[in-house]
Amino acid sequence: QQQVKQSPQSLIVQKGGISIINCAYENTAFDYFPWYQQFPGKGPALLIAIRPDVSEKKEGRFTISFNKSAKQFSLHIMDSQPGDSATYFCAASISGNTPLVFGKGTRLSVIA
Amino acid sequence: GAVVSQHPSWVICKSGTSVKIECRSLDFQATTMFWYRQFPKQSLMLMATSNEGSKATYEQGVEKDKFLINHASLTLSTLTVTSAHPEDSSFYICSARAGLAPYNEQFFGPGTRLTVL
């Protein structure tokens, strides 16, 4: 049973546009929600993360919005650039030494 | 900071041989490391959780006798694929939990591409 559902599977956005990727989780014990960016043939890189005590976190062009009651969180990439073209994974975990649970990933293509 | 390295970055081996992959945290101590495998265009699949000085905890369906994990120090974990077969060909990625961070912040290595002929 997939604990973190991610959508869409793929996304094409015009350069300068806003990319939005959504995730929903089931386990209310999750208290850490990171997003990872992965380029082909590379390991995932931590992009931004949020904890449930805040509803939004912004770092540069990347923003996480978090809705605890709906058990949803999303990644917004403002002013999307071709260099943002990658696969993005949302994840969730319970604080401590528990493993991350990953979504299935979203392949983002930013076209000029 | 928070750099994780893997060696080798890619390896090709013959069926039946064993392959060792190293994962190192370069600038922090990692009490816990995780090993994942990833097939093309798919998500990361957790194989095992490795705590320094103790036996690894394997996920359901992962053969512990085939995928040997050793976490001998706070900066090094190794994954040995024993008697590798073509179906073991995959992208293997490790991650390390950053020390005593209260939340489960993990940093990933660059991955190792294993091809078994």
Side-chain angles (χ1 to χ4, degrees), chain B residues 88-107:
Chain B
D88 299 323
S89 298
S90 187
F91 193 50
Y92 291 87
I93 312 171
C94 70
S95 73
R97 181 172 178 266
L100 299 177
Y103 290 89
N104 201 1
E105 188 169 10
Q106 294 180 32
F107 297 92

Side-chain angles (χ1 to χ4, degrees), chain A residues 4 21-25 32-35 50 64-67 71-75 90-92:
Chain A
V4 178
I21 305 171
N22 301 297
C23 282
Y25 62 97
Y32 175 68
F33 304 90
W35 284 89
I50 198 168
I64 298 180
S65 297
F66 183 79
N67 186 329
K71 293 187 289 184
Q72 295 176 346
F73 59 109
S74 61
L75 175 69
C90 64

Side-chain angles (χ1 to χ4, degrees), chain B residues 45-100:
Chain B
M45 184 189 81
L46 180 67
M47 300 175 66
T49 301
S50 168
N51 290 297
E52 185 266 337
S54 62
K55 291 184 178 180
T57 302
Y58 291 81
E59 294 299 299
Q60 191 173 11
V62 178
E63 300 175 59
K64 62 180 181 180
D65 294 330
K66 181 169 185 62
F67 299 99
L68 301 179
I69 292 172
N70 183 276
H71 193 161
S73 75
L74 287 171
T75 59
L76 173 65
S77 177
T78 60
L79 167 67
T80 301
V81 184
T82 63
S83 186
H85 288 92
E87 58 266 29
D88 299 323
S89 298
S90 187
F91 193 50
Y92 291 87
I93 312 171
C94 70
S95 73
R97 181 172 178 266
L100 299 177

Side-chain angles (χ1 to χ4, degrees), chain A residues 12-95:
Chain A
I12 299 174
V13 173
Q14 290 276 350
K15 178 182 176 182
I18 303 174
S19 304
I20 301 174
I21 305 171
N22 301 297
C23 282
Y25 62 97
E26 299 167 7
N27 189 344
T28 55
F30 287 147
D31 61 0
Y32 175 68
F33 304 90
W35 284 89
Y36 286 86
Q37 179 189 57
Q38 186 180 30
F39 293 104
K42 305 294 183 183
L46 180 63
L47 198 59
I48 186 172
I50 198 168
R51 300 192 294 269
D53 52 346
V54 296
S55 60
E56 185 175 282
K57 182 175 181 180
K58 183 176 181 179
E59 290 185 1
R61 297 186 293 112
F62 302 93
T63 300
I64 298 180
S65 297
F66 183 79
N67 186 329
K68 188 174 181 178
S69 60
K71 293 187 289 184
Q72 295 176 346
F73 59 109
S74 61
L75 175 69
H76 294 231
I77 304 175
M78 311 299 288
D79 186 28
S80 298
Q81 299 296 313
D84 296 329
S85 297
T87 300
Y88 292 81
F89 293 96
C90 64
S93 73
I94 304 169
S95 58

